[in-house]
Amino acid sequence: MALPTPPREPARRHHYLGDILSTIHSTAKGMALTMRYLWRKPVTMDYPKEKPVIDQRYRGIHVLDQQLCIYCDLCAKACPVDCIEMDAVRHGKEIEWKAFTLDYQKCMFCELCVYPCPKDCFIQGTEYSMVSEDRNDFVHDLLTWKGLREEEPS
Amino acid sequence: MPGWLLTVWAAVVAMVVVFTFLTIMVMFSVWMERKVAGFIQHRVGPMRAGGFHGWAQSIADSIKLLFKEDLILIGADRKLFQIAPALVMATATAMFVVLPFAPGWQVADADLGVFLILALASVTTIGVIMAGWGSYNKWSVYGAMREAAQVASYEIPLALSLIPPILHYGTFSLATATEAQAGWGGMQWYVFSSAAPVAWLSFPLFFIAALAENKRAPFDLPEAESELVAGFHTEYTGIRFSFFFLEEYAAMFVMGAVGAALWFGGWNFPGIHLLEPGSALLQVLALFAFVAKAMALVFVMMWVRWTVPRLRIDQVMTLGYKYLTPLSMAVVLIAAFWEFGLHLIQD
Amino acid sequence: MSSSHPAAAYSRAPGREIELDVATQDCQIHMGPQHPATHGVMRVLLKADGEVLSGAQTHLGYLHRSAEKIGEMVDWLQYLPYTDRYDYLCAMNNNLGYSLGVEKLLGLEAPERAQYLRVILSELNRIASHLFAVGTYGLDLGAFTPLFTALRDREIVLDLFERICGARLTYSFIRPGGLWNDAPEGWLEDVAAFLDLFEKRWHEYWTLVVENRIFIERTADVGVLSAEQAIDWGCSGPMLRGSGVDWDLRRDQPYQVYDRLEFEVVKGSGYRGSVGDCFDRTFVRMFEMTESIRIVRQCLEQMEPGPVHNPEVKSVIRPAPGSAYCGIENPRGELGHYLVSDGSKIAVRVRVRAPSFCNLSVAEHLMPGSMLGDAAAIIGSVDIVVGETDR
């Protein structure tokens, strides 16, 4: 089917009988289309039972690979709303982590914090669900371990 | 028992039966509307309440509406505001009294069946206008005025389009007209009878006029959602709102039932002549046939609603006065000629 | 009331005075901030004599979020997410307008593959935006189904955008210097598949909305905007082209690679009523969607592999002192960014010329004389997004 192009001539203005026939005709065509829709498969999914497949590039909740992070603060400086705060102490080449918080009440999921990272350790993952009844739950601490190094599992 | 007590008792029983039937029918219609709307719009409608395709959604919604706060604005006309939903509900319920559900199963075999329905449909309008005026809200007044104009425009086509079947069967009573359509193994409906062309001409006129009387799309201006928020019933909450809602679907069912009874054979189904008259099976199948035909017409009303946009009020009135009224007058003339004049030519 | 309006014969608007025994007052009604037909929070104060409107006044500001002031507080690159949010239905175009303005200040350009991808993304967003416009216009007029059909098709476009940048509505993907990322594997093939699918689905909108007799009755000869009036009031986009004016920034002031692409500028021709009525604007939007399909197909053919970001544009941008204006063709009209720099990493002034604001200003003058039902039809045909009108 060729691409539709705009018709050149204005349509004829109808008169009494033509009005009646064109109304019936266009309504019938519209109703035939909606009848076809009635029998087609719905395009929605039953949400809590079926969840959508999230693309890998989706901008969800942030994930920090703490081993690679060098505490350069570039992500926090890039954020337009200043929602990232990090606190650590350097001991030579090692870093003693105290906190790395991201306030999701301010975050606008724009991904500007992800691009400047020199070590590619900060990404936005595919998790999107964040529900709570307490405002403090929205300030996420992204650290997996605190202190100088990850404790060995005993 | 004294005679008058028997009458009162019969009336109470009839009221309870009709009201129960009406409530169940309306709940089913609301559920059907939401499912039909859903599937037409590529989605599924209610799915969770009650399990299978959300069949209990209407029940849940009714219970929820019962618990809502009942607000009356300070400047509103209290008496009008409170009486309007009751009036509307009462007339809608009263219309069920003359519908022929099955042979012998009718609340009152009035000789003026269809005429009573027309009269009551007009009284419903007064309730709507009271609702619109009584709410202290300019948008409601707009809804009420539009309703008044619209119903006045479509009274004549509605009444005139009912004349062809009345002429053919010679009676206003719906039960008598249904009984007369029992020939040919239960298939001698008006639309297949000797006056079939007149039937097919008058039915669309009746259907369009019925859509307009019921404030259904494309004539749903009085409650136009995208212009007037909710039109005449904007300020109503809780039970009062549910009365208007009930009335809309009840009136739809009544119009569908009148269409089914007069044009499509009412309770007659193919094979009705094989069953023993008076048997339980016949009664149940006849009831089922009647309700199915009425609901099929209600389905068509819903199908039209979800397809076409809304007309502006001056276009509604133009359609009523300039198109439907002359056409229905012409159809009445054709019907009269068909019934009484044809034999003059044949002789 | 314009004499071609269908109800002109019954109007009591100025020009047709009728003697009345009773002194009456025009009814003043609010199409208030919360209303199903105002496309966002906007108040329209209507004065009506029964059903015929005698005056209209729009009140804006309910969605003002100080976007322009924020531009004076954050870096040039940090402002990018804010550009998404003024016209949230065509965020790619907003990003493009801002990025082109910054690139003009810097005197740099994006690489060619980035320019082609930018055009593809802008045109896909134009299709999504026009689908939404036509769908919600049907909703304003009482046809509930076309909106869901439009959303179904728009969902495919949003899924494509999710695959390329991760977001469905506010992308922040087109940045000064190019793009953040290249398209993933298979994305371009899926765009071509969508275009083939949409070409067939377009006819459903034509049947269900535009060719429907009742829709024609509601929109033909309603809200007629003459060409002179459109130019005087600064209208742009489908408002302007619907009135028959032959002006499209993509052809007349080409930016990116539009000068290498062949497409037609669709104008309103009074197909079903007068030139410049509501029907013509919808007509223009419908056929702009087909033109967008053509444009994207040509881009897909002409595109070559290459870089998608100009490395000279850093993350911390410090343009030389000066100012630049860049106007692009948004689905709603001309989106202009006027950027003033003093050499630092924060702008001195970010001024946004929103097309919906200018288009809406004329709606007040189209409404008097038509009927109450037409108010919704006129506002719907202007296709405003209140986020853009208020910023």
Side-chain angles (χ1 to χ4, degrees), chain C residues 71-345:
Chain C
E72 298 170 19
M73 291 166 20
V74 294
D75 295 354
W76 292 94
L77 193 60
Q78 286 179 336
Y79 188 65
L80 196 62
Y82 293 97
T83 61
D84 284 327
R85 284 150 170 88
Y86 12 95
D87 183 351
Y88 33 81
L89 293 177
C90 54
M92 289 288 190
N93 300 64
N94 298 354
N95 291 345
L96 180 62
Y98 178 70
S99 304
L100 286 178
V102 174
E103 283 169 13
K104 218 169 178 176
L105 269 181
L106 290 171
L108 296 170
E109 259 193 19
E112 200 169 288
R113 184 177 169 88
Q115 292 194 20
Y116 274 109
L117 267 175
R118 280 174 169 186
V119 168
I120 291 177
L121 292 169
S122 302
E123 293 302 319
L124 281 176
N125 218 336
R126 191 182 307 272
I127 293 178
S129 174
H130 283 323
L131 273 176
F132 197 78
V134 170
T136 50
Y137 197 39
L139 190 69
D140 287 343
L141 297 178
F144 303 95
T145 313
L147 175 65
F148 289 91
T149 315
L151 290 177
R152 172 198 66 173
D153 291 330
R154 190 168 163 264
E155 194 65 20
I156 309 177
V157 175
L158 262 45
D159 280 342
L160 285 169
F161 286 157
E162 184 181 341
R163 283 170 54 191
I164 197 174
C165 67
R168 286 162 49 94
L169 200 68
T170 50
Y171 314 111
S172 309
F173 188 61
I174 298 180
R175 56 156 294 181
L179 303 170
W180 284 111
N181 274 320
D182 202 343
E185 274 294 318
W187 192 82
L188 294 166
E189 287 76 26
D190 285 336
V191 169
F194 166 71
L195 294 175
D196 293 332
L197 174 73
F198 186 63
E199 205 179 328
K200 296 197 197 74
R201 293 231 173 123
W202 185 91
H203 293 275
E204 290 180 14
Y205 299 102
W206 189 252
T207 309
L208 206 51
V209 182
V210 183
E211 279 286 294
N212 189 307
R213 182 85 205 159
I214 299 178
F215 179 85
I216 296 172
E217 293 284 322
R218 285 297 295 270
T219 53
D221 287 326
V222 166
V224 178
L225 180 67
S226 67
E228 296 82 36
Q229 232 179 338
I231 298 175
D232 282 344
W233 283 90
C235 297
S236 47
M239 279 290 271
L240 186 64
R241 291 194 283 278
S243 301
V245 179
D246 191 11
W247 177 255
D248 185 334
L249 284 175
R250 295 174 291 173
R251 184 201 56 195
D252 298 321
Q253 291 178 358
Y255 50 95
Q256 302 296 271
V257 289
Y258 280 110
D259 44 3
R260 303 182 209 176
L261 302 171
E262 219 182 271
F263 59 96
E264 203 185 292
V265 171
V266 188
K267 293 189 291 292
S269 56
Y271 182 59
R272 288 276 183 191
S274 347
V275 179
D277 57 13
C278 295
F279 183 85
D280 267 349
R281 296 193 268 275
T282 312
F283 178 88
V284 166
R285 287 190 187 105
M286 288 293 287
F287 285 103
E288 271 188 10
M289 288 198 271
T290 56
E291 293 304 317
S292 293
I293 298 178
R294 261 174 87 180
I295 293 174
V296 178
R297 282 196 175 135
Q298 289 172 52
C299 287
L300 289 173
E301 276 168 45
Q302 294 179 13
M303 231 164 82
E304 307 274 326
V308 289
H309 181 64
N310 186 342
E312 292 178 45
V313 180
K314 313 272 184 243
S315 298
V316 178
I317 303 174
R318 283 175 218 271
S323 63
Y325 176 81
C326 184
I328 59 157
E329 183 77 21
N330 232 15
R332 284 163 185 83
E334 174 176 343
L335 175 72
H337 278 91
Y338 179 64
L339 305 168
V340 178
S341 156
D342 64 351
S344 73
K345 63 174 185 172

Side-chain angles (χ1 to χ4, degrees), chain B residues 35-83:
Chain B
K35 294 302 279 187
V36 163
F39 284 111
I40 286 182
Q41 293 164 356
H42 318 281
R43 55 188 180 90
V44 285
M47 289 293 277
R48 301 181 69 171
F52 175 74
H53 281 283
W55 62 269
Q57 184 71 42
S58 314
I59 303 174
D61 281 337
S62 315
I63 299 174
K64 173 205 77 175
L65 278 172
L66 288 174
F67 284 114
K68 291 240 178 205
E69 183 184 357
D70 185 22
L71 295 170
I72 303 184
L73 297 173
I74 292 183
D77 192 327
R78 285 190 85 93
K79 290 204 193 60
L80 284 180
F81 195 83
Q82 289 168 328
I83 294 177

